[in-house]
Coordinates of all heavy atoms in Angstrom, one line a residue:
M1 N -25.3 5.1 29.3 CA -25.1 5.2 27.8 C -26.4 5.6 27.2 O -27.4 5.2 27.5 CB -24.6 3.7 27.4 CG -24.5 3.6 26.0 SD -24.1 1.9 25.4 CE -22.7 2.3 24.4
V2 N -26.2 6.5 26.2 CA -27.3 7.0 25.5 C -27.1 6.4 24.0 O -26.2 6.9 23.4 CB -27.4 8.6 25.5 CG1 -28.6 9.1 24.6 CG2 -27.5 9.1 26.9
P3 N -28.2 5.8 23.4 CA -28.1 5.2 22.1 C -27.8 6.4 21.1 O -28.4 7.5 21.2 CB -29.5 4.5 21.9 CG -29.9 4.3 23.3 CD -29.4 5.4 24.2
R4 N -27.0 6.1 20.2 CA -26.6 6.9 19.0 C -26.0 8.3 19.5 O -25.8 9.2 18.7 CB -27.9 7.3 18.2 CG -28.6 6.0 17.5 CD -29.7 6.2 16.8 NE -29.5 7.4 16.0 CZ -30.6 8.0 15.3 NH1 -31.8 7.5 15.6 NH2 -30.5 9.0 14.6
A5 N -25.7 8.4 20.7 CA -25.0 9.6 21.2 C -23.4 9.4 21.2 O -23.0 8.3 21.4 CB -25.5 10.0 22.6
P6 N -22.7 10.5 21.2 CA -21.2 10.3 21.3 C -20.9 9.7 22.6 O -21.6 9.8 23.6 CB -20.8 11.8 21.2 CG -21.8 12.6 20.5 CD -23.0 11.8 20.9
S7 N -19.7 9.0 22.7 CA -19.3 8.3 23.9 C -19.2 9.2 25.1 O -19.3 8.7 26.2 CB -18.1 7.5 23.7 OG -17.0 8.5 23.3
E8 N -18.9 10.5 25.0 CA -18.8 11.4 26.1 C -20.1 11.7 26.7 O -20.1 12.2 27.8 CB -18.1 12.6 25.8 CG -18.6 13.5 24.7 CD -18.1 13.3 23.3 OE1 -17.7 12.1 23.1 OE2 -18.1 14.2 22.6
I9 N -21.2 11.4 26.1 CA -22.6 11.6 26.6 C -22.8 10.3 27.3 O -23.0 9.3 26.8 CB -23.6 11.8 25.5 CG1 -23.4 13.1 24.6 CG2 -25.0 11.9 26.2 CD1 -23.5 14.3 25.4
I10 N -22.8 10.3 28.6 CA -22.8 9.2 29.4 C -24.2 8.8 30.0 O -24.4 7.7 30.7 CB -21.7 9.0 30.5 CG1 -21.9 10.2 31.6 CG2 -20.4 9.1 29.9 CD1 -21.1 10.0 32.8
G11 N -25.1 9.7 29.9 CA -26.4 9.5 30.4 C -27.3 10.7 30.5 O -26.9 11.8 30.0
L12 N -28.5 10.5 31.0 CA -29.4 11.6 31.2 C -29.9 11.5 32.7 O -30.0 10.5 33.2 CB -30.6 11.4 30.3 CG -30.3 11.4 28.7 CD1 -31.6 11.0 28.0 CD2 -29.8 12.8 28.2
T13 N -30.2 12.7 33.1 CA -30.8 12.9 34.5 C -31.8 13.9 34.5 O -32.1 14.6 33.5 CB -29.8 12.9 35.5 OG1 -30.2 12.8 36.8 CG2 -29.1 14.4 35.4
T14 N -32.5 14.1 35.6 CA -33.4 15.2 35.7 C -33.0 16.1 36.8 O -32.4 15.7 37.8 CB -34.8 14.7 36.0 OG1 -34.9 14.0 37.1 CG2 -35.4 14.0 34.8
L15 N -33.2 17.4 36.7 CA -33.0 18.5 37.6 C -34.1 19.4 37.6 O -34.4 20.0 36.6 CB -31.6 19.1 37.4 CG -31.3 20.2 38.5 CD1 -31.1 19.7 39.8 CD2 -30.0 21.0 38.0
R16 N -34.9 19.4 38.7 CA -36.1 20.3 38.8 C -36.9 20.1 37.6 O -37.4 21.1 37.0 CB -35.6 21.7 39.0 CG -34.9 22.0 40.3 CD -34.5 23.4 40.5 NE -33.7 23.5 41.7 CZ -32.3 23.9 41.6 NH1 -31.9 24.2 40.4 NH2 -31.7 23.9 42.7
S17 N -37.2 18.9 37.3 CA -38.2 18.5 36.2 C -37.7 18.8 34.8 O -38.5 18.9 33.9 CB -39.6 19.2 36.4 OG -40.2 18.7 37.6
R18 N -36.3 19.1 34.8 CA -35.7 19.3 33.4 C -34.9 18.3 33.1 O -34.1 17.6 33.9 CB -34.8 20.6 33.4 CG -35.7 21.9 33.7 CD -34.9 23.2 33.5 NE -33.5 23.0 34.1 CZ -32.9 23.8 34.9 NH1 -33.6 24.9 35.4 NH2 -31.7 23.6 35.3
I19 N -34.7 17.8 31.8 CA -33.9 16.8 31.4 C -32.5 17.3 31.2 O -32.4 18.4 30.6 CB -34.4 16.0 30.0 CG1 -35.8 15.4 30.3 CG2 -33.3 15.2 29.5 CD1 -36.3 14.9 29.1
V20 N -31.5 16.7 31.8 CA -30.1 17.2 31.7 C -29.2 16.1 31.2 O -29.3 14.9 31.6 CB -29.5 17.6 33.1 CG1 -28.2 18.0 33.2 CG2 -30.5 18.6 33.8
T21 N -28.5 16.5 30.1 CA -27.5 15.5 29.5 C -26.2 15.4 30.3 O -25.6 16.5 30.5 CB -27.2 16.0 28.0 OG1 -28.5 16.1 27.4 CG2 -26.3 15.0 27.3
V22 N -25.8 14.3 30.7 CA -24.5 14.1 31.5 C -23.4 14.0 30.5 O -23.3 13.0 29.7 CB -24.7 13.1 32.4 CG1 -23.5 12.9 33.3 CG2 -25.9 13.2 33.3
V23 N -22.3 14.7 30.6 CA -21.1 14.7 29.7 C -20.0 14.5 30.7 O -19.8 15.1 31.6 CB -21.0 16.1 29.0 CG1 -19.9 16.0 28.1 CG2 -22.3 16.4 28.2
D24 N -19.1 13.5 30.2 CA -17.8 13.2 30.7 C -16.8 13.8 29.8 O -16.4 13.2 28.7 CB -17.5 11.8 31.1 CG -16.4 11.5 31.8 OD1 -15.4 12.3 31.8 OD2 -16.3 10.3 32.5
P25 N -16.3 15.0 30.0 CA -15.3 15.6 29.2 C -13.9 14.9 29.1 O -13.2 15.0 28.2 CB -15.0 17.0 29.8 CG -15.4 16.9 31.3 CD -16.5 15.8 31.3
R26 N -13.6 14.0 30.2 CA -12.5 13.2 30.1 C -12.4 12.3 28.9 O -11.4 12.0 28.2 CB -12.2 12.5 31.4 CG -11.7 13.5 32.5 CD -11.6 12.8 33.8 NE -10.6 11.8 33.6 CZ -9.8 11.3 34.7 NH1 -9.8 12.0 35.8 NH2 -9.0 10.3 34.5
I27 N -13.6 11.7 28.6 CA -13.8 10.7 27.5 C -13.6 11.6 26.2 O -12.9 11.0 25.3 CB -15.1 10.1 27.6 CG1 -15.3 9.2 28.8 CG2 -15.4 9.3 26.3 CD1 -16.7 8.7 29.0
A28 N -14.1 12.8 26.2 CA -13.9 13.6 25.0 C -12.5 13.8 24.7 O -12.0 14.1 23.6 CB -14.8 14.8 25.1
A29 N -11.8 14.1 25.8 CA -10.3 14.3 25.7 C -9.5 13.1 25.5 O -8.2 13.2 25.5 CB -9.9 15.1 26.9
G30 N -10.1 11.9 25.4 CA -9.3 10.8 25.1 C -8.7 10.2 26.5 O -7.7 9.3 26.3
Q31 N -9.2 10.5 27.6 CA -8.7 10.0 28.9 C -9.7 9.0 29.3 O -10.8 8.8 28.9 CB -8.5 11.2 29.8 CG -7.5 12.2 29.4 CD -7.4 13.4 30.3 OE1 -8.2 13.5 31.2 NE2 -6.5 14.3 30.1
A32 N -9.2 8.3 30.5 CA -10.2 7.4 31.1 C -11.4 8.1 31.8 O -11.2 9.3 32.3 CB -9.4 6.7 32.2
P33 N -12.5 7.5 31.7 CA -13.8 8.2 32.4 C -13.5 8.5 33.8 O -12.8 7.7 34.5 CB -14.9 7.3 32.0 CG -14.3 5.9 31.7 CD -12.9 6.3 31.2
L34 N -14.3 9.4 34.3 CA -14.3 9.7 35.7 C -15.1 8.6 36.4 O -16.1 8.1 35.9 CB -15.0 11.0 36.0 CG -14.2 12.2 36.0 CD1 -15.2 13.4 35.9 CD2 -13.2 12.4 37.1
P35 N -14.6 8.1 37.6 CA -15.3 7.1 38.3 C -16.6 7.7 38.9 O -16.7 8.8 39.3 CB -14.4 6.7 39.5 CG -13.3 7.8 39.6 CD -13.3 8.5 38.3
L36 N -17.7 7.0 38.8 CA -19.0 7.4 39.3 C -19.2 6.9 40.7 O -18.8 5.8 41.1 CB -20.1 7.0 38.3 CG -20.0 7.5 36.9 CD1 -21.1 7.0 36.0 CD2 -20.1 9.0 36.9
P37 N -20.0 7.6 41.5 CA -20.6 8.9 41.2 C -19.5 10.0 41.3 O -18.4 9.9 41.8 CB -21.5 9.1 42.5 CG -20.9 8.4 43.6 CD -20.2 7.1 42.9
A38 N -19.8 11.1 40.5 CA -18.9 12.2 40.4 C -19.7 13.5 40.5 O -20.9 13.5 40.4 CB -18.2 12.2 39.1
R39 N -19.0 14.6 40.8 CA -19.6 15.9 40.9 C -19.8 16.5 39.4 O -19.1 16.0 38.6 CB -18.8 16.9 41.7 CG -18.6 16.4 43.1 CD -18.0 17.5 43.9 NE -17.9 17.1 45.4 CZ -18.8 17.2 46.2 NH1 -20.0 17.7 46.0 NH2 -18.5 16.8 47.5
A40 N -20.6 17.4 39.2 CA -20.8 18.0 38.0 C -21.2 19.5 38.2 O -21.6 19.9 39.1 CB -22.0 17.3 37.3
I41 N -20.8 20.1 37.1 CA -21.2 21.7 36.9 C -22.3 21.6 36.0 O -22.3 21.0 34.9 CB -20.1 22.4 36.4 CG1 -18.9 22.4 37.4 CG2 -20.5 23.8 36.0 CD1 -17.6 23.0 36.9
V42 N -23.6 22.1 36.4 CA -24.7 22.2 35.5 C -24.7 23.5 34.8 O -24.5 24.6 35.5 CB -26.0 22.0 36.3 CG1 -27.2 22.0 35.5 CG2 -25.9 20.6 37.0
T43 N -24.9 23.5 33.5 CA -24.9 24.7 32.7 C -26.0 24.5 31.6 O -26.3 23.5 31.3 CB -23.5 25.0 32.1 OG1 -23.4 26.3 31.6 CG2 -23.1 23.9 31.1
Q44 N -26.2 25.6 31.0 CA -27.2 25.6 29.9 C -26.4 26.2 28.6 O -25.8 27.3 28.7 CB -28.4 26.6 30.2 CG -29.5 26.3 29.1 CD -30.9 27.0 29.5 OE1 -30.9 28.2 29.4 NE2 -31.8 26.2 30.0
I45 N -26.5 25.4 27.6 CA -25.8 25.8 26.4 C -26.8 25.7 25.2 O -27.3 24.7 25.0 CB -24.5 24.9 26.1 CG1 -23.5 25.1 27.2 CG2 -23.9 25.2 24.8 CD1 -22.4 24.0 27.3
D46 N -26.9 26.7 24.5 CA -27.9 26.8 23.4 C -29.3 26.2 23.7 O -29.9 25.5 22.9 CB -27.3 25.9 22.1 CG -26.1 26.6 21.5 OD1 -25.9 27.8 21.6 OD2 -25.3 25.9 21.0
G47 N -29.8 26.6 25.0 CA -31.1 26.2 25.4 C -31.2 24.9 25.9 O -32.2 24.4 26.4
C48 N -30.1 24.1 25.9 CA -30.1 22.7 26.5 C -29.3 22.6 27.8 O -28.4 23.3 28.0 CB -29.5 21.7 25.5 SG -30.4 21.6 24.0
D49 N -29.8 21.8 28.8 CA -29.1 21.7 30.1 C -28.2 20.6 30.0 O -28.4 19.5 29.6 CB -30.2 21.5 31.1 CG -31.1 22.6 31.3 OD1 -30.6 23.7 31.3 OD2 -32.4 22.4 31.3
Y50 N -26.9 20.8 30.6 CA -25.9 19.8 30.6 C -25.3 19.7 32.0 O -25.2 20.8 32.7 CB -24.7 20.2 29.6 CG -25.2 20.1 28.2 CD1 -25.6 21.2 27.6 CD2 -25.0 19.0 27.4 CE1 -26.0 21.2 26.2 CE2 -25.5 18.9 26.2 CZ -25.9 20.0 25.5 OH -26.3 19.9 24.2
A51 N -24.8 18.5 32.5 CA -24.2 18.3 33.7 C -22.8 17.8 33.2 O -22.6 16.7 32.7 CB -24.8 17.3 34.5
V52 N -21.8 18.6 33.3 CA -20.5 18.4 33.0 C -19.7 17.8 34.2 O -19.5 18.6 35.0 CB -19.7 19.6 32.3 CG1 -18.3 19.2 31.9 CG2 -20.5 20.1 31.1
L53 N -19.2 16.5 34.1 CA -18.6 16.0 35.2 C -17.2 16.6 35.5 O -16.6 17.0 34.5 CB -18.3 14.5 35.0 CG -19.6 13.7 34.8 CD1 -19.2 12.1 34.7 CD2 -20.5 13.8 35.9
V54 N -16.8 16.7 36.7 CA -15.5 17.3 37.0 C -14.9 16.5 38.1 O -15.5 15.8 38.9 CB -15.8 18.8 37.6 CG1 -16.3 19.6 36.6 CG2 -16.7 18.8 38.9
D55 N -13.6 16.6 38.2 CA -12.8 15.9 39.2 C -13.2 16.3 40.7 O -13.3 15.6 41.6 CB -11.3 16.0 39.1 CG -10.7 15.4 37.8 OD1 -11.4 14.4 37.4 OD2 -9.8 15.9 37.2
R56 N -13.2 17.6 40.8 CA -13.5 18.3 42.1 C -13.9 19.8 41.8 O -13.5 20.4 40.7 CB -12.4 18.0 43.1 CG -11.2 18.9 42.7 CD -10.1 18.7 43.7 NE -9.1 19.7 43.7 CZ -7.9 19.5 43.1 NH1 -7.6 18.3 42.5 NH2 -7.0 20.4 42.9
V57 N -14.5 20.4 42.8 CA -14.7 21.8 42.8 C -14.1 22.4 44.1 O -14.5 21.8 45.1 CB -16.3 22.1 42.8 CG1 -16.6 23.6 42.9 CG2 -16.9 21.5 41.5
D58 N -13.1 23.2 43.9 CA -12.5 23.7 45.1 C -13.2 25.1 45.6 O -13.2 25.3 46.8 CB -11.0 24.0 44.7 CG -10.2 22.8 44.6 OD1 -10.6 21.8 45.2 OD2 -9.3 22.8 43.8
D59 N -13.6 25.8 44.6 CA -14.0 27.3 45.0 C -14.8 27.8 43.7 O -14.6 27.3 42.6 CB -12.9 28.1 45.4 CG -13.3 29.3 46.0 OD1 -14.6 29.5 46.3 OD2 -12.4 30.2 46.4
A60 N -15.6 28.8 43.9 CA -16.1 29.6 42.9 C -15.9 31.1 43.1 O -16.1 31.5 44.1 CB -17.6 29.3 42.7
S61 N -15.2 31.7 42.2 CA -14.9 33.1 42.3 C -14.6 33.7 41.0 O -14.5 33.1 39.9 CB -13.5 33.2 43.2 OG -12.5 32.5 42.7
M62 N -14.6 35.0 41.1 CA -14.4 35.9 39.9 C -13.0 36.2 39.8 O -12.3 36.7 40.7 CB -15.2 37.2 40.0 CG -16.7 37.1 40.1 SD -17.4 36.6 38.6 CE -17.1 37.9 37.5
L63 N -12.4 35.8 38.6 CA -10.9 36.0 38.4 C -10.7 36.7 37.1 O -11.5 36.7 36.1 CB -10.2 34.6 38.4 CG -10.3 33.7 39.7 CD1 -9.7 32.4 39.4 CD2 -9.4 34.5 40.9
D64 N -9.6 37.4 37.0 CA -9.2 38.1 35.7 C -8.7 37.1 34.7 O -7.8 36.2 35.0 CB -8.2 39.2 35.9 CG -8.8 40.3 36.8 OD1 -10.0 40.6 36.5 OD2 -8.1 40.9 37.6
L65 N -9.2 37.1 33.5 CA -8.8 36.3 32.5 C -7.5 36.8 31.7 O -7.7 37.9 31.2 CB -9.9 35.9 31.5 CG -9.6 35.0 30.3 CD1 -9.4 33.6 30.8 CD2 -10.8 35.0 29.4
E66 N -6.5 36.2 31.7 CA -5.3 36.6 31.0 C -5.1 35.8 29.7 O -5.5 34.6 29.6 CB -4.0 36.3 31.9 CG -4.1 37.1 33.2 CD -3.9 38.6 33.0 OE1 -3.4 39.0 32.0 OE2 -4.6 39.2 33.9
P67 N -4.6 36.3 28.8 CA -4.4 35.7 27.4 C -3.3 34.6 27.5 O -2.5 34.7 28.3 CB -4.0 36.7 26.4 CG -3.5 37.8 27.2 CD -4.2 37.7 28.6
L68 N -3.6 33.6 26.7 CA -2.5 32.5 26.6 C -1.4 33.0 25.7 O -1.7 33.5 24.5 CB -3.1 31.2 26.0 CG -4.0 30.4 26.9 CD1 -4.6 29.2 26.1 CD2 -3.1 29.7 28.0
A69 N -0.2 32.8 26.0 CA 1.0 33.2 25.2 C 1.0 32.2 24.0 O 1.2 32.6 22.8 CB 2.3 33.1 26.0
S70 N 0.7 31.0 24.2 CA 0.7 30.0 23.1 C 0.0 28.8 23.5 O -0.1 28.4 24.8 CB 2.2 29.6 22.8 OG 2.2 28.5 21.8
V71 N -0.8 28.1 22.5 CA -1.5 27.0 22.8 C -0.9 25.7 22.2 O -1.4 24.6 22.3 CB -3.0 27.1 22.3 CG1 -3.8 28.1 23.1 CG2 -3.1 27.3 20.9
N72 N 0.3 26.0 21.5 CA 0.9 24.9 20.8 C 1.3 23.7 21.7 O 1.4 22.6 21.2 CB 2.1 25.4 20.2 CG 1.9 26.4 19.1 OD1 0.7 26.4 18.4 ND2 2.7 27.3 18.7
A73 N 1.6 23.9 23.0 CA 2.1 22.9 23.8 C 0.8 22.0 24.4 O 1.0 20.9 24.9 CB 2.8 23.4 25.1
L74 N -0.4 22.5 24.2 CA -1.6 21.8 24.6 C -2.0 20.6 23.7 O -1.8 20.9 22.4 CB -2.7 22.9 24.8 CG -2.5 23.9 25.8 CD1 -3.7 24.9 25.8 CD2 -2.5 23.4 27.2
E75 N -2.6 19.6 24.1 CA -3.2 18.6 23.2 C -4.4 19.2 22.5 O -4.9 20.2 22.9 CB -3.6 17.5 24.2 CG -2.5 16.7 24.8 CD -2.9 15.6 25.7 OE1 -4.1 15.2 25.7 OE2 -2.2 15.1 26.6
P76 N -4.7 18.7 21.3 CA -5.7 19.2 20.5 C -7.0 19.5 21.2 O -7.7 20.7 21.0 CB -5.8 18.2 19.3 CG -4.5 17.5 19.2 CD -4.1 17.5 20.7
F77 N -7.5 18.6 22.1 CA -8.7 18.9 22.8 C -8.7 20.1 23.6 O -9.6 21.0 23.6 CB -9.1 17.7 23.6 CG -10.4 17.9 24.5 CD1 -11.6 17.7 23.9 CD2 -10.3 18.2 25.7 CE1 -12.7 17.9 24.7 CE2 -11.4 18.5 26.5 CZ -12.6 18.3 26.0
W78 N -7.6 20.3 24.4 CA -7.5 21.4 25.3 C -7.2 22.7 24.5 O -7.6 23.7 24.9 CB -6.4 21.1 26.4 CG -6.9 20.0 27.2 CD1 -6.3 18.7 27.3 CD2 -7.9 19.9 28.1 NE1 -7.0 17.9 28.1 CE2 -8.0 18.7 28.7 CE3 -8.9 20.9 28.5 CZ2 -8.9 18.2 29.6 CZ3 -9.8 20.4 29.5 CH2 -9.8 19.2 29.9
R79 N -6.5 22.6 23.4 CA -6.2 23.7 22.6 C -7.5 24.3 22.1 O -7.7 25.5 22.0 CB -5.3 23.3 21.3 CG -4.8 24.4 20.6 CD -3.8 23.9 19.4 NE -2.9 23.1 20.0 CZ -2.5 21.9 19.3 NH1 -3.0 21.6 18.1 NH2 -1.6 21.2 19.8
A80 N -8.6 23.4 21.7 CA -9.8 23.9 21.2 C -10.7 24.5 22.4 O -11.4 25.4 22.1 CB -10.6 22.8 20.5
A81 N -10.5 24.0 23.6 CA -11.2 24.5 24.6 C -10.7 25.7 25.4 O -11.3 26.5 26.1 CB -11.5 23.4 25.6
A82 N -9.4 26.0 25.3 CA -8.7 27.0 26.1 C -9.1 28.3 25.7 O -9.1 28.6 24.4 CB -7.1 26.8 25.9
I83 N -9.3 29.2 26.6 CA -9.7 30.7 26.4 C -8.8 31.6 27.0 O -8.8 32.8 26.9 CB -11.1 30.9 26.7 CG1 -11.4 30.7 28.2 CG2 -12.0 30.2 25.7 CD1 -12.8 31.1 28.6
G84 N -7.9 31.0 27.8 CA -7.0 31.9 28.6 C -6.5 31.3 29.9 O -6.6 30.1 30.1
L85 N -5.9 32.0 30.7 CA -5.3 31.7 32.1 C -5.9 32.4 33.2 O -6.2 33.7 33.0 CB -3.7 31.8 32.1 CG -2.9 30.9 31.3 CD1 -1.5 31.2 31.3 CD2 -3.1 29.4 31.7
V86 N -6.2 31.8 34.3 CA -6.6 32.7 35.5 C -5.6 32.2 36.7 O -5.0 31.1 36.7 CB -8.0 32.3 35.9 CG1 -9.0 32.8 34.9 CG2 -8.2 30.8 36.2
D87 N -5.3 33.2 37.5 CA -4.4 32.9 38.6 C -5.1 33.3 40.0 O -5.2 34.4 40.3 CB -3.1 33.7 38.5 CG -2.0 33.3 39.4 OD1 -2.4 32.5 40.4 OD2 -0.8 33.6 39.2
P88 N -5.6 32.2 40.7 CA -6.2 32.6 42.0 C -5.2 33.0 43.0 O -5.6 33.2 44.2 CB -7.0 31.2 42.3 CG -6.1 30.1 41.6 CD -5.5 30.9 40.3
G89 N -3.9 32.9 42.8 CA -3.0 33.4 43.7 C -1.8 32.4 43.9 O -0.7 32.8 44.4
D90 N -2.2 31.1 44.0 CA -1.2 30.1 44.2 C -0.6 29.4 43.0 O 0.6 28.9 43.1 CB -1.7 29.1 45.3 CG -3.0 28.5 44.8 OD1 -3.6 28.9 43.9 OD2 -3.5 27.6 45.5
H91 N -1.3 29.3 42.0 CA -0.8 28.8 40.7 C -1.9 29.1 39.6 O -3.0 29.1 39.8 CB -0.7 27.2 40.9 CG -1.9 26.5 41.2 ND1 -2.5 26.6 42.4 CD2 -2.8 25.7 40.4 CE1 -3.6 25.8 42.5 NE2 -3.8 25.4 41.2
P92 N -1.2 29.4 38.4 CA -2.1 29.7 37.3 C -2.8 28.3 36.8 O -2.4 27.3 36.9 CB -1.3 30.1 36.2 CG 0.1 29.8 36.6 CD 0.2 29.5 38.0
M93 N -4.1 28.6 36.3 CA -4.9 27.5 35.8 C -5.5 27.8 34.4 O -5.7 29.0 34.0 CB -6.1 27.2 36.7 CG -5.7 26.7 38.0 SD -7.2 26.3 39.1 CE -7.5 27.9 39.8
L94 N -5.6 26.8 33.6 CA -6.2 27.0 32.3 C -7.7 27.3 32.4 O -8.4 26.6 33.1 CB -5.9 25.7 31.5 CG -6.3 25.7 30.0 CD1 -5.5 26.7 29.2 CD2 -6.2 24.4 29.5
A95 N -8.1 28.3 31.7 CA -9.4 28.6 31.7 C -10.0 28.0 30.4 O -9.5 28.2 29.3 CB -9.7 30.1 31.7
I96 N -11.2 27.4 30.5 CA -11.8 26.7 29.3 C -13.1 27.2 29.0 O -13.9 27.6 30.0 CB -11.8 25.1 29.6 CG1 -12.5 24.8 30.7 CG2 -10.4 24.6 29.5 CD1 -13.1 23.5 30.8
D97 N -13.6 27.1 27.7 CA -14.9 27.4 27.4 C -15.7 26.0 27.6 O -15.4 25.0 26.8 CB -14.9 27.7 26.0 CG -16.4 27.9 25.4 OD1 -17.3 27.7 26.2 OD2 -16.4 28.3 24.2
I98 N -16.6 25.9 28.5 CA -17.2 24.7 28.8 C -18.1 24.1 27.7 O -18.2 23.0 27.6 CB -18.0 24.9 30.1 CG1 -18.4 23.5 30.8 CG2 -19.3 25.6 29.9 CD1 -18.8 23.5 32.2
S99 N -18.5 25.1 26.8 CA -19.3 24.6 25.7 C -18.5 23.8 24.7 O -18.9 22.9 23.9 CB -20.0 25.8 25.0 OG -19.0 26.6 24.4
A100 N -17.1 23.9 24.8 CA -16.3 23.1 23.9 C -16.3 21.7 24.4 O -15.8 20.8 23.7 CB -14.9 23.7 23.9
M101 N -16.7 21.4 25.6 CA -16.6 20.0 26.1 C -18.0 19.3 25.7 O -18.2 18.2 26.1 CB -16.5 20.1 27.6 CG -15.2 20.7 27.9 SD -14.7 20.3 29.6 CE -13.0 20.7 29.6
V102 N -18.9 19.9 25.2 CA -20.3 19.4 25.0 C -20.4 19.1 23.4 O -20.2 20.1 22.6 CB -21.4 20.3 25.5 CG1 -22.7 20.0 25.0 CG2 -21.3 20.6 27.0
P103 N -20.8 18.0 23.0 CA -20.9 17.8 21.5 C -22.0 18.8 21.0 O -23.0 19.0 21.6 CB -21.4 16.4 21.5 CG -21.0 15.7 22.8 CD -21.1 16.7 23.7
S104 N -21.7 19.2 19.8 CA -22.5 20.4 19.2 C -23.9 19.8 18.8 O -24.8 20.5 18.7 CB -21.8 20.9 18.0 OG -21.5 20.0 17.1
A105 N -24.0 18.5 18.5 CA -25.3 18.0 18.0 C -25.4 16.5 18.4 O -24.6 15.8 18.1 CB -25.5 18.2 16.6
V106 N -26.5 16.2 19.0 CA -26.9 14.8 19.4 C -28.1 14.5 18.7 O -29.1 15.2 18.8 CB -27.0 14.6 21.0 CG1 -27.4 13.2 21.2 CG2 -25.7 15.0 21.6
V107 N -28.0 13.5 17.7 CA -29.2 13.1 16.9 C -29.7 11.8 17.4 O -29.0 10.9 17.7 CB -28.8 13.0 15.4 CG1 -30.1 12.7 14.7 CG2 -28.2 14.4 15.0

């Protein structure tokens, strides 16, 4: 827990001498938090480092982004984060903008 931070900011850690903010997007989406320890995708957004917790990582690959026909069926959190669909061959998946899962300002 980080004082005065949104509830989805669950902590801070270091990576190669850099401070990294740990974010649980499930909390931001109104779901139960991920059990810890969990895997994370580390990214940099607006010059700040974030570790975004994930359920699992199956693969990393380049895929073509297809537009969404409609976002109306998605819950508001996912509607704001959705940027399209990708299909690795066995089933389509929602592509999201990871920066939408990070609070815009922590004071």
Side-chain angles (χ1 to χ4, degrees):
M1 176 182 232
V2 178
R4 298 180 43 197
S7 60
E8 60 267 30
I9 303 292
I10 64 164
L12 300 170
T13 190
T14 59
L15 178 66
R16 297 184 189 112
S17 301
R18 296 183 325 228
I19 296 173
V20 179
T21 303
V22 182
V23 179
D24 187 339
R26 289 179 53 149
I27 295 172
Q31 300 174 351
L34 277 168
L36 298 176
R39 296 191 183 275
I41 296 173
V42 178
T43 187
Q44 193 173 75
I45 300 169
D46 295 331
C48 297
D49 295 315
Y50 294 92
V52 181
L53 300 184
V54 295
D55 293 328
R56 68 179 194 262
V57 176
D58 292 329
D59 197 2
S61 58
M62 298 292 291
L63 299 168
D64 293 325
L65 182 65
E66 300 293 331
L68 283 170
S70 173
V71 294
N72 294 335
L74 298 174
E75 294 177 14
F77 175 82
W78 296 110
R79 191 177 310 138
I83 58 172
L85 290 174
V86 294
D87 191 346
D90 51 354
H91 61 283
M93 293 185 276
L94 185 66
I96 56 156
D97 177 359
I98 201 164
S99 66
M101 300 194 163
V102 174
S104 59
V106 177
V107 180

